[in-house]
Each structure stands twice: as structure tokens, then as C-alpha cells.
Amino acid sequence: MNITFLGGGNEIGASCAIVEIGAGRVLVDCGMRMTGDDRLPDLAAIKNSGNLHHLDAVILTHAHMDHSGALPVLHQHFPSVPVYCTAATRGLVEVLHRDSLNIMRSRAESERELPLYARGAVESLLEQMIPVPFGAPTTLGRGGLVATWLPAGHILGAASVAIEGTEGGRNVRVLFSGDISVTDQLTVPGMLAPKGFRPDVLVIEATYGDRLHAARSLEERRLLEMVAGVIERGGKLLIPAFAVGRAQEVILTLLREFRAKRLTSFPVYVDGMVRSVCGVYSSFPAHQTAFTRRLIERHGDPFFNIVDEIRPVASPDEREKVLAGPPCCIIASSGMLTGGASAYYAPAIASGERNGIALTGYQDEESPGRHLLDLAEGKTGSLSVGGRTIEVKSSVAKYALSAHADANEIAGLVEAINPRHVVLVHGEGAARPAMADTLRRSGGRYRPVHLPRTGDTLSFGATRRSATHSAGRVQIGFGGGEMLDAGNLARLAEEIRRRGEERNAFSEIDLLNLWYGQGSWSEEQYGELIKLLDEAETWRRHPARPHLYRVRRQDDGAEEPPVMFYAEPNELLQRVESALGKESGLYRKGYDLARHELRLSFHFPVVARERYREVLKRTLDGTGWTYSVNEQPHHGRLAEVAAECLPPGVTPVRAPALRLEDATVSVTLDEYLAPETREQAAVRFKERTGHTLTISVPGAPGTPTPDASLAEPGTTANAPAEINLSYRMIEEAFAGVPQQTWRPYRTGLKAEGDRAFIELAFISPQIGTRQRERINQLAKKIGRPLRVKPEPNQIMLSEVAARLAPKEWRLQKQPSVHKAEGVVRLKCLNAPPDTDPQWTSISAEYEELTGYRLEK
């Protein structure tokens, strides 16, 4: 087994590792660095390494951007590779990445910073993300690897992932901890050591490997005392908090105190991405603590529907009112003051002597939050945030409400998991060496401890024989080969009582192993057990660990209040999706817990409602749940299917027009179609979508004559050639061009208002401009206006630069494109000076090929 760390080794950020076991290759996490110029992990290593020619899957441990932020970039290069994660993680990733698009757009406008990816990459990525339940073994690709997601405590949906495969006839196991918290939080229960999975290698985080956390209850009390003190002196308290996890913990801490009347009434404003994330938390009660589940079950939204004091800031326009209003507490993202709502509030709050700023989490070395910590320690007196430098007059304090395990907790987990090797990652400075020293001194047995740096590859040999080569031995569980049905589930409960283990907590995997034998059960049997446990009277969920089960004690019966057993909603949604299949067009799922109603969004609800009525009825019978269908169709898919229903090669002049009030989609073409062809397209569209398709074409009654006034200078308004003929003529005209990069890589029909033209996309507009005469002659020949696409192809520009750079230059990262300057920059360890003949020659060749200059 080889593990290559592309990021996140001796650093916090850009967590990303390739795992190779036998023929199987998977990527675990794909995050970004939150500060600095070099944001991405070394994704080039995936393609450039000769033996890493494919990926079976991407495994995502949790949603935080230092673990998921580079996924859209990876997805653009590996679009067919699925990304597996828990359903809650997928919900959080959607919120985080949509917000990231807004941040990149803002930086592009204010700082001319190139975005890492476009909106389309995020939308396509979300379609490739496959949710998996906790505890269910999942086969990944054709390499035979099996992965199981286990609750990690850190944030909602966070998981440690157990990976198992076969290499040289022997089993190999590795456990990636992801980010972990052993302590129960208000939102999610802490991590438990997995049962029945002893890994050969444990890759575990060491963020706080050099320290011990203070008791959480004491830190919460200190924070509440600061809140009360700031409010009492008439000030405002800003709590910059990570939008996922920390903000929800702070909100619930204040909510608990308000409900218990231990805090006097004052407004608490929640701003930034925190609001959207709170909505995701409200959608997944099953994976949270009993405290939060009860709030969700009773109130729907546990953050804003319970006490009047906690209020969302509905829009940025309200922020000035908050700052001008009475004493209050403000909980805002981001947690390190690097942007978002907290960066807006910080200058005003920091400059007021009666105000306060409370930091509750990790602060990167380069972040404004770290500078504030220095200020609290007397090292500095000013703060730079949002492009402004402010003299800090407010009080500043740090509170250890960490969602990461400390050194003692990590050591306890390592001892309980009992791996053969330990690999410490996700740590800076002294954290990993200190953690390694703690493990060597406190461990009950010797085990090697590895401290890889980013870029390192660790190799481990297989130590146990594969079950497929064990002379046909088959483990038989308590069930003796019988199927686990409702009656046998009650028998299993009796056996556990007989053993005196009725107070023990069991996962679904534990129960399957007890009944069938270790690993001697199928994915279908796992799914059937979930259904049985939803309805079983002899079992109940663990009050603090919703993914674990206990036998219902026999002496509890009369005293236990009657319970309506409903299917767990996220597992039920998985059943619905499986029953419908991908062709159903089900693209979004949710539920209303208070009404026990599944909420389903289909691409084409008019068709789906009738087509899948009986399937949904059969799937939901006996579960206690109903369903509703979103009436709005998917606008993007309506437009796509409208184009698909047209004859091959026929392209609309502009995007189809949607008139949802009368269920009609209108398409305008620039070439004539016979009435019967238009009718056939409309029939196909009606069958697929339930909507009506209208087609406007030249020569048809009421259709305007094509306007040739957009012809470029020097062209004539001759009768235009048929569009596909036009494309062939363009291809033939550039076929003799000596360089591939001088030819248009894409040709398409575009429109500006009601006027059509053909756009030629070159590697850069500079290359297109060089060939203006050829293009003008071609426009005259085909009778259509031609335009050069004004945007360069940044991926092609980067790839050509990387290809031309000799290996001895030691290129450190993908070349960066700077459109405004017409420049591509290389970051090399060993590039020659500008006067070197080799540099001069390669720079000249690059400019000739691309029209862009090459710089270092």
C-alpha cells in the first residue's frame, strides 16, 4: 500500500492524499489552503505520475474547505470520478462552494484575482457527489476497495473512513481519521473508536498534538461572562466563528442560557453564511445529539425559531442598523476574519473601548484573527482587516471551544484503535513532533509513528492474509445461516440480554456481524436491517448516539411513553432514490420532520408525479411518511431537453425562453425546419417534460428575416450558408494552419439581442486577432458574421506553458494566467535568468504559440 500526501501533511490546509492498494486508487479529501498564494494541493501529481493513471473514487471525510475546497478543480480534470461522502456533508459542501463562488467573484472585481473555477464546475461536481450512510461498506470502482464511513464528531456529517483492499493475496486496511472530536458538543456526539476494524495504518490529525484543552464547560462559562460584561457596559461583542460547526455551537450555547433565564435579554444577530449552514443542520437531526434533535423535532429550526433574542441578519443592508443599534452580540463568519460578514463588523467593533471580540477557534498564521491574538498578548496594537488598518481599543479574548481532539484524546484513540502504524498529519510547528513523543511515551505497545511532509509517499506491506485465500473458512454468526427478519431481530435481542449486554450500544454493522458473522453479509441485508430497526419494538436508538442502538429493557415497558416509530428520513430518502433510479430526474431531496413529509424535486414534476406515483406509494407504505413534489420544473434541464429534441446539428440562436405560467418553452432557430419536423420535436418534448415546445424558424409565418448587419468590417451580407456547412467551411479554412494552437478549438452559434453570429474560440483572443484577414475572408464566403471569443482558454494556456518548461526548471505548481496583463507566470525552483538563451527561446516560442508572454 502506498499513501502519497498531496497536501495537509506538515500543514493545516489542502488536505489531500492518494491511497493505492493493489489495483485500487482513491483520493481522500481534496482541500485548499485558506491563506497564501499557493492554495491548491499538488493535483498535477495525479496525472503526471506514471502509475497513477486513474482514480476509482474520491472519498470526502467532511465539508470544511481545507478538506473539500479544491474538489471543483479536481472535478474539471476527472469529471467522471464519483465523490462519496455522507448526505449531511454533501448538503454543507453545496452551501460552502456556492458561497466560495461569490467570494471569488468579489475578489475578481476588487483585486483582479483569477477565480479557481466557474459555477458550472460546482454544479457538475454536486451531481457527481454520492451520499453514503454511516457504517455501510461501500465498494469503490473496479479496484476492489471497500470504504466505510464512521462518525468522527468534528461537525455535522464528519466521518473517519475505513478503507480495505487486497494486495498480493493479503488484506490491507487503513483508517483516515479526518478531523475528529472526542468530546460531545451541543450539536454532534463525540467520536467513538471503531469496533472490529484494526487498521494496518492509522492516518490521524494532530492539529492540537502539543496541547491539552481546558474543560469545555469552563470555556463556555468564560465566554458567557465576557458576553454579559460587554452588554452590561453598553458595548457590542463580535464572535467571528467558522460558519460550519463553531457558529452553531455558540448559538446553541446562548440559546440554552436564554431559555434557562441565566442571561438577561439582549439581541444576538447571526450574519453571513452561518444562516445557510444552520438550515442544513436543521435538515439532519438523526446525526446530532439528543439535545439538538429534540429542538429540531419540536421547533423545526433549532437556531432561530425558539427564542426572540436570536435573530438572523436578513441582508447586508441591515448591518449598519445593527452597528448603530443597542448593545448586542454578533455571530458572523468567517472565523479568522479573512472575509465575510465578520470582516465587515470588525473595524467598527475593534475601535470601540466598550466593545469586545471573542475568538473561538483555530487561527491561521497569516490571518487577521492571529494578529488579534497577538494583540491580546500585548504583541501588537493595530489590526489590518478588509483593506483597513485599525487601532484596536476593544477587549480581545480567546476561548477553547475547539472541535478537534487534544493530545491526550488523540493518544487515547490511538490506543483504543490499536493500529500497527500511526501517521500524523494536519499539524503545524511542534504539534506533530510533540504528539509523536506522547505516543512513544504513553503507548501500551510499540508502533512506528510517521511524520510525512506534503509531497511524501509512504509504503506499507500487507500483514494479514486475505479472506479470499483462507482455505474456504466462513464465519457463522448467532443466526446460523438464517435471514435476519423481524422475528429473528427479537431473538437477537434476547441473546444480547442473556449475555448481560443489554446496556451496550451496537451499530448496524455490529448487529449484522453478530447475526451473520464478521463481514458475512451483503449490502441488501444491511438495507433490510435499517428497515427492521425503524419498526422494531425490542430496539431503540441510543439517546446520545443516534447511529447506535440498544436493546429495550424489559423492565422499562410500562413506564416508557408510547412512541410512534417512523423511518429515519435520510435513510428513507436513499431508499426512494434507489427505487426511482437515475432516469427519474430526482435532483433534490429533503424533508419536513414536523409533518413527516418527504420533499422531492424532479426535473419535470408533471411527468414524474404520474409516472412514479405507485413506486413512491410502495416505498413509503408502513414508514409513517408521506411525500410532496415541488411544482417548479428544473429550468436548466428544460432548456437542455428542448435542444436535445431538435434534429441533430440544429442549434438554437439563443437560450430557449421559458413561459412557466402556461408550461411552454420557445426556441428560435436561424434555419428552416419543415412543419412535420417541428411537430415531431414538440411531441418528443411533451413526452419527456410535460411541457409544450414552440419553434420559430426562418421562412415560417411571423418569423423575422435574419439580420446580417452584425457582419464584421469587410464582410458582405450574402445569403448565409447552412449552419453545419458553415462549420465545415471554417474547419477546412483552418486545416492548413501550421500550429494546432492557431486553430479555433471550438466554434458555436451565438446571439446578441436578436442578431446571430458565429463565435470562434482560440487559445487566446490575441491569436484570433492575428488571423483577422483570414476570418474576414471566411465571413464573406459563408455569408455570416464571425467574431473572436474575447476570453482566453486558461487551461490550455497553462498546459502549453507546463509542456514547454524543461524538467530541470522544477516547476512547483501549475502556471498561473493573468488575463489583464496577457501574461502566464511560472513558479520554478531552478528557472534560468531572463538573459539565458534557453529562457529567451522558450519565451519566444510560447508567445508565438499563444499570444501571451511568459514570465517568472
Side-chain angles (χ1 to χ4, degrees):
M1 171 175 63
N2 293 327
I3 305 176
T4 303
F5 297 92
L6 309 183
N10 56 315
E11 60 181 331
I12 296 176
S15 289
C16 187
I18 298 171
V19 179
E20 301 174 81
I21 302 175
R25 293 177 178 86
V26 295
L27 196 71
V28 179
D29 288 337
C30 191
M32 64 168 52
R33 297 174 183 90
M34 304 315 294
T35 56
D37 294 329
D38 192 5
R39 306 291 294 278
L40 300 176
D42 185 15
L43 299 179
I46 304 173
K47 281 192 171 182
N48 294 343
S49 180
N51 62 342
L52 293 177
H53 56 277
H54 78 279
L55 285 176
D56 292 315
V58 177
I59 290 171
L60 184 59
T61 61
H62 67 287
H64 277 151
M65 293 294 278
D66 62 325
H67 290 256
S68 75
L71 279 173
V73 179
L74 176 82
H75 176 68
Q76 290 177 92
H77 295 278
F78 294 90
S80 62
V81 175
V83 180
Y84 293 89
C85 61
T86 64
T89 293
R90 187 195 180 283
L92 292 172
V93 164
E94 181 171 359
V95 171
L96 288 170
H97 282 72
R98 293 193 191 285
D99 183 74
S100 180
L101 289 170
N102 295 332
I103 293 172
M104 287 191 294
R105 184 173 64 248
S106 174
R107 287 178 177 169
E109 294 171 355
S110 62
E111 303 171 18
R112 301 174 73 181
E113 180 178 312
L114 287 174
L116 291 172
Y117 47 81
R119 183 173 300 278
V122 173
E123 300 297 338
S124 179
L125 166 68
L126 293 171
E127 292 179 1
Q128 281 292 97
M129 296 188 76
I130 301 173
V132 293
F134 280 127
T138 302
T139 301
L140 306 176
R142 295 170 295 179
L145 299 187
V146 176
T148 305
W149 279 251
L150 306 166
H154 180 59
I155 60 170
L156 179 68
S160 299
V161 183
I163 306 170
E164 186 169 9
T166 302
E167 194 170 73
R170 293 176 177 267
N171 279 355
V172 180
R173 292 177 173 178
V174 58
L175 178 66
F176 276 78
S177 75
D179 289 357
I180 54 176
S181 174
V182 174
T183 304
D184 286 354
Q185 302 177 66
L186 289 175
T187 51
V188 292
M191 177 184 178
L192 299 174
K195 292 171 60 177
F197 187 89
R198 184 191 176 192
D200 300 296
V201 180
L202 169 62
V203 181
I204 190 167
E205 68 140 321
T207 310
Y208 293 114
D210 57 347
R211 70 195 75 178
L212 301 177
H213 295 324
R216 189 177 184 87
S217 59
L218 294 179
E219 291 299 285
E220 289 176 355
R221 181 53 48 195
R222 286 182 55 233
L223 174 61
L224 291 168
E225 288 172 358
M226 182 181 187
V227 173
V230 170
I231 298 298
E232 186 174 347
R233 64 176 181 255
K236 295 179 172 64
L237 179 72
L238 173 63
I239 305 179
F242 296 126
V244 180
R246 198 63 43 81
Q248 289 71 38
E249 291 291 314
V250 173
I251 294 171
L252 291 182
T253 298
L254 292 172
L255 177 125
R256 182 187 61 195
E257 299 304 301
F258 282 130
R259 295 180 81 197
K261 308 299 183 185
R262 290 190 289 263
L263 278 179
T264 58
S265 181
F266 58 86
V268 176
Y269 295 103
V270 179
D271 199 359
M273 188 173 43
V274 178
R275 292 170 293 140
S276 301
V277 172
C278 286
V280 179
Y281 268 69
S282 301
S283 300
F284 292 92
H287 301 303
Q288 299 184 61
T289 62
F291 170 73
T292 310
R293 285 205 316 277
R294 285 194 296 269
L295 293 179
I296 296 173
E297 290 165 0
R298 294 172 185 172
H299 304 281
D301 187 324
F303 305 102
F304 303 119
N305 287 354
I306 301 173
V307 297
D308 294 333
E309 286 87 350
I310 299 176
R311 311 163 188 175
V313 177
S315 70
D317 296 337
E318 293 184 17
R319 291 171 181 168
E320 284 301 324
K321 295 179 182 178
V322 171
L323 290 172
C328 65
C329 176
I330 304 166
I331 303 170
S333 55
S334 70
M336 295 188 287
L337 291 169
T338 52
S342 66
Y344 179 91
Y345 291 110
I349 299 295
S351 59
E353 294 181 354
R354 292 184 294 181
N355 299 333
I357 300 178
L359 299 170
T360 60
Y362 171 82
Q363 303 296 322
D364 185 86
E365 288 286 350
E366 300 178 24
S367 69
R370 175 59 65 91
H371 297 156
L372 261 184
L373 285 181
D374 292 342
L375 182 147
E377 298 169 2
K379 297 178 182 177
T380 181
S382 62
L383 172 68
S384 294
V385 61
R388 298 170 55 189
T389 300
I390 309 104
E391 182 182 357
V392 178
K393 299 179 180 179
S394 68
S395 59
V396 179
K398 171 78 163 60
Y399 301 93
L401 301 182
S402 178
H404 292 267
D406 67 11
N408 192 53
E409 292 167 333
I410 294 170
L413 266 177
V414 170
E415 197 65 20
I417 295 170
N418 193 22
R420 291 178 170 82
H421 294 261
V422 176
V423 179
L424 297 177
V425 296
H426 202 280
E428 293 176 337
R432 295 192 308 154
M435 189 68 244
D437 187 56
T438 299
L439 292 175
R440 293 184 184 112
R441 286 186 288 104
S442 63
R445 62 183 293 270
Y446 171 76
R447 53 177 66 88
V449 178
H450 307 269
L451 304 179
R453 300 179 63 82
T454 293
D456 287 353
T457 296
L458 300 181
S459 298
F460 304 91
T463 57
R464 69 172 62 78
R465 289 191 178 277
S466 170
T468 58
H469 298 270
S470 56
R473 284 189 321 179
V474 178
Q475 287 186 318
I476 302 297
F478 172 72
E482 294 185 30
M483 294 298 293
L484 185 55
D485 56 18
N488 285 334
L489 189 60
R491 279 180 56 203
L492 182 57
E494 288 299 323
E495 172 65 11
I496 287 171
R497 290 192 184 107
R498 187 187 65 77
R499 296 181 183 184
E501 297 177 348
E502 63 183 312
R503 287 193 172 274
N504 292 358
F506 300 88
S507 70
E508 297 94 340
I509 305 300
D510 295 334
L511 297 177
L512 288 164
N513 286 338
L514 283 171
W515 183 262
Y516 292 108
Q518 189 77 26
S520 301
W521 43 271
S522 67
E523 185 74 20
E524 291 74 19
Q525 288 162 334
Y526 174 87
E528 185 61 29
L529 176 61
I530 299 296
K531 300 176 188 177
L532 293 173
L533 287 169
D534 286 337
E535 302 166 359
E537 297 182 357
T538 50
W539 293 86
R540 63 176 178 177
R541 288 184 181 272
H542 189 290
R545 301 281 194 274
H547 47 279
L548 299 177
Y549 296 86
R550 280 179 172 171
V551 175
R552 190 178 299 280
R553 292 172 57 189
Q554 292 176 317
D555 56 358
D556 284 353
E559 301 174 8
E560 196 164 55
V563 177
M564 172 71 78
F565 285 93
Y566 288 98
E568 201 280 330
N570 293 302
E571 293 159 358
L572 187 58
L573 285 170
Q574 291 301 309
R575 279 191 246 160
V576 167
E577 186 171 36
S578 177
L580 295 177
K582 291 185 178 180
E583 69 278 5
S584 68
L586 178 65
Y587 70 94
R588 185 180 296 127
K589 313 180 296 295
Y591 57 83
D592 183 332
L593 193 63
R595 299 172 62 182
H596 286 88
E597 178 183 87
L598 301 184
R599 296 187 170 173
L600 309 177
S601 295
F602 292 88
H603 289 149
F604 312 120
V606 174
V607 172
R609 188 182 295 105
E610 294 302 318
R611 185 171 294 169
Y612 303 110
R613 187 189 304 277
E614 289 303 314
V615 175
L616 287 167
K617 182 178 183 301
R618 287 196 304 271
T619 305
L620 297 181
D621 272 350
T623 66
W625 286 77
T626 60
Y627 73 94
S628 63
V629 174
N630 181 3
E631 297 295 330
Q632 289 296 316
H634 190 288
H635 296 185
R637 281 298 292 152
L638 274 176
E640 290 171 2
V641 173
E644 291 169 7
C645 289
L646 297 172
V650 177
T651 307
V653 172
R654 64 182 71 88
L658 311 181
R659 295 200 305 273
L660 300 181
E661 64 277 5
D662 58 358
T664 298
V665 176
S666 299
V667 172
T668 301
L669 308 180
D670 70 342
E671 56 188 283
Y672 181 80
L673 285 184
E676 61 271 22
T677 304
R678 300 201 301 271
E679 179 62 27
Q680 290 168 0
V683 169
R684 288 194 295 270
F685 188 76
K686 187 77 170 182
E687 290 174 350
R688 292 181 62 180
T689 70
H691 284 56
T692 300
L693 179 66
T694 64
I695 303 174
S696 300
V697 297
T703 301
T705 303
D707 191 337
S709 63
L710 278 181
E712 304 295 345
T715 64
T716 59
N718 297 331
E722 188 270 331
I723 188 63
N724 292 304
L725 176 60
S726 299
Y727 290 156
R728 287 196 298 273
M729 293 168 70
I730 292 170
E731 184 177 352
E732 291 168 1
F734 283 93
V737 172
Q739 297 292 348
Q740 181 69 37
T741 55
W742 294 353
R743 304 169 193 167
Y745 66 87
R746 187 172 63 238
T747 305
L749 191 64
K750 302 287 184 179
E752 186 175 77
D754 59 352
R755 298 176 175 181
F757 61 92
I758 294 177
E759 183 179 78
L760 308 180
F762 293 89
I763 189 172
S764 72
Q766 289 90 330
I767 291 295
T769 302
R770 289 179 186 176
Q771 305 182 81
R772 172 58 62 195
E773 185 170 348
R774 182 192 303 271
I775 293 172
N776 285 342
Q777 292 298 323
L778 188 56
K780 292 177 182 178
K781 187 175 180 181
I782 66 177
R784 290 178 180 271
L786 305 180
R787 295 187 185 180
V788 173
K789 184 178 181 179
E791 294 294 319
N793 186 317
Q794 297 186 48
I795 293 177
M796 288 177 64
L797 286 169
S798 181
E799 288 178 345
V800 173
R803 174 168 53 83
L804 290 179
K807 288 184 178 179
E808 60 267 23
W809 288 9
R810 296 177 65 187
L811 192 64
Q812 282 190 295
K813 54 184 286 190
Q814 281 294 102
S816 58
V817 180
H818 302 267
K819 292 191 299 183
E821 304 167 53
V823 166
V824 172
R825 292 196 174 97
L826 302 178
K827 187 174 183 181
C828 303
L829 289 176
N830 196 33
D834 291 351
T835 55
D836 186 280
Q838 186 188 42
W839 173 264
T840 303
S841 173
I842 289 176
S843 298
E845 182 181 1
Y846 185 76
E847 186 166 6
E848 178 71 10
L849 289 174
T850 68
Y852 266 53
R853 299 193 315 278
L854 202 59
E855 293 183 357
K856 300 190 292 292

